[in-house]
Amino acid sequence: MAKDYSSIVVSSRVRLSRCLNDVPFPAKMDELTGKKVVRKVYNAIDGEDDFGLYVMKDLPRDEAYIMQEKHLISHDLIENSQSGAVMINQDETISIMINEEDHIREQCLMSGLCLEQAYQKLNKIDQQICKKIDIAFDQNLGFLTSCITNVGTGLRVSVMLFLPALTLTKKIDSIIGNLTKNGLAVRGAYGEATDYLGYLYQISNERTIGKSEEDYIRQINSIIIQICDMEIDARKQLLLTRETEVKDVVGRAYGVLTNCYLLPVEEFMRLAGEIKMGIALNLVRMKDNHIVDKLLATLAPYTLCKLAGNVSTMQEEQKFRAEYVAKVLKSNRIK
Amino acid sequence: MAKDYSSIVVSSRVRLSRCLNDVPFPAKMDELTGKKVVRKVYNAIDGEDDFGLYVMKDLPRDEAYIMQEKHLISHDLIENSQSGAVMINQDETISIMINEEDHIREQCLMSGLCLEQAYQKLNKIDQQICKKIDIAFDQNLGFLTSCITNVGTGLRVSVMLFLPALTLTKKIDSIIGNLTKNGLAVRGAYGEATDYLGYLYQISNERTIGKSEEDYIRQINSIIIQICDMEIDARKQLLLTRETEVKDVVGRAYGVLTNCYLLPVEEFMRLAGEIKMGIALNLVRMKDNHIVDKLLATLAPYTLCKLAGNVSTMQEEQKFRAEYVAKVLKSNRIK
């Protein structure tokens, strides 16, 4: 039976970059051509999965930022695309950005460790697209993309890992060193600036050429499993050698989150990671083991503002977040 | 009717320095002479207030540090005195250090604002001492002491103030500037290094010569009352303009203190100040409004170790403090 990595692997993500033959790359493309690309992609996807199409120019900015907070679109699509659009399926596992850096960026994002499943799901969509659209492909190089780093498979595989024990035991540093040497990139969950906030690490392939899609996925999957097993060992060791310190970190996070009146988003992410660690180590018991991930998704700034309705200042946002988190955590806790 | 300053003035302290005529100052004195001084002082105090005599050399170090934590003796008396001793009365309001910097340092320390009462109480003891012992006194200069800064009255008056609102509104800086210009010293409660930890400020006279004891006390008393009235105004202003921020600070302090597993003493002092602010502003309601001061007294490092019994490491000390504080605060809180 496969081991349970659900308290370690947050999500799996597969992305494919495609460009159209005989159409200038998006950076060099005029608006009219961009609109034609959108129509082509829209028409290529048949209705079986009920995709919605959102043209960025017509989309309220708040809605766009909510999509970004859900990792469905990139910041670049919002800010730097003249004729950007996105197609999103019903359950929001698949999004197809149009006219971002490449004409087409297909993505499948799912919870837990399921790279192969995500790839198969995305591959179906990709086959439809490649069948109906004339995609730039070179017999020797493979798929051609705007940026040379994506040429070949156009595949980017990334896994979001929650690694509190490897972080606290400082073993993470040598792991990151090894991954980097082996052509993998490691980033924080919320971009570079925030480091590894919330004990979250996003691991992805740097190279996209030289192996098949299936080989890339197999390789990354096996590396992720190794890291997960190391995290499991580190968690046991942490509880054996530093239980009181860990309980202290978790207790303080719970204390602040259930008693503060103003909660900035970055602090929330940090403390949420500490509570998640408490749940993973069975030091805090919750009715729903994924309550923290749900809170993180619900209380990202723009998602929160939509939920709250009448939030206009930073202080109001922080106040709503504080009240919401306190209420949910208190009612979810099993004493 | 006098205003209630009990949530502002923590304690009042009066100290008198005296030296014996024809005996070298303690720094220049041999051990035998030191012992004679102890006996003289001991004999001068008649038994009405039931003073205990403690000779530092014979006192377990832990007991000595507990006395220091209670502000009954100085660090110098423990570390730098060859023949140091102290006499302490039953309710621990009066302590008489023998062979510290001066041969005799009488102190009266009481809760709240009561400088005159404290002085009168101490003066009674001082009159006994001056009647029975040949004290160094100069007709022009007054009492003669080891250090020139105490010559004259030998009087040091100090008041410990709890000033969260003047601190948070930053008005305290100009107040400190004014006090310093007027010959008063301002220190943190726990020595220089810790700044004004816990919003505590100790205000005392720098000069000891030029006025009578009564005049010094009247002057400082009137200045303290002015500061108290400013703090009362600042508290009102703080609640009007920054209520949520203040509630956030207080809530976080309560959250950490009732949920942490390790609590270092310095952090405790800081958070205790924040809870005290919450009680003073009626944002947190406690059965006993002085519960925080009691905890601070109980959980100073050596006092805690005696109470806990079997604490030997720093971590055990921090763990005991965390558990004790959480239990007391939770059971004392009125929801």
Side-chain angles (χ1 to χ4, degrees), chain A residues 283-298:
Chain A
L283 301 174
V284 182
R285 289 172 60 223
M286 292 284 172
K287 290 176 195 160
D288 176 358
N289 274 349
H290 292 283
I291 191 66
V292 176
D293 291 325
K294 288 177 188 166
L295 282 173
L296 281 168
T298 310

Side-chain angles (χ1 to χ4, degrees), chain A residues 3 32 44 46-47 58 92 103 112 130 132 143 145 186 198 246 265 276 289 297-298 300 306:
Chain A
K3 280 195 199 169
L32 190 66
D46 71 23
D58 303 336
E92 298 188 335
H103 295 124
C130 292
K132 298 197 185 154
F143 290 100
T145 53
V186 184
V246 176
V265 69
K276 260 174 77 105
N289 274 349
T298 310
K306 194 182 175 186

Side-chain angles (χ1 to χ4, degrees), chain A residues 248 251-252 259 261-262 267, chain B residues 248 251-252 259 261-262 267:
Chain A
D248 185 54
R252 283 163 181 266
N259 286 281
Y261 283 81
L262 292 171
E267 184 188 14
Chain B
D248 186 55
R252 284 163 180 264
N259 287 280
Y261 284 80
L262 292 170
E267 185 189 13

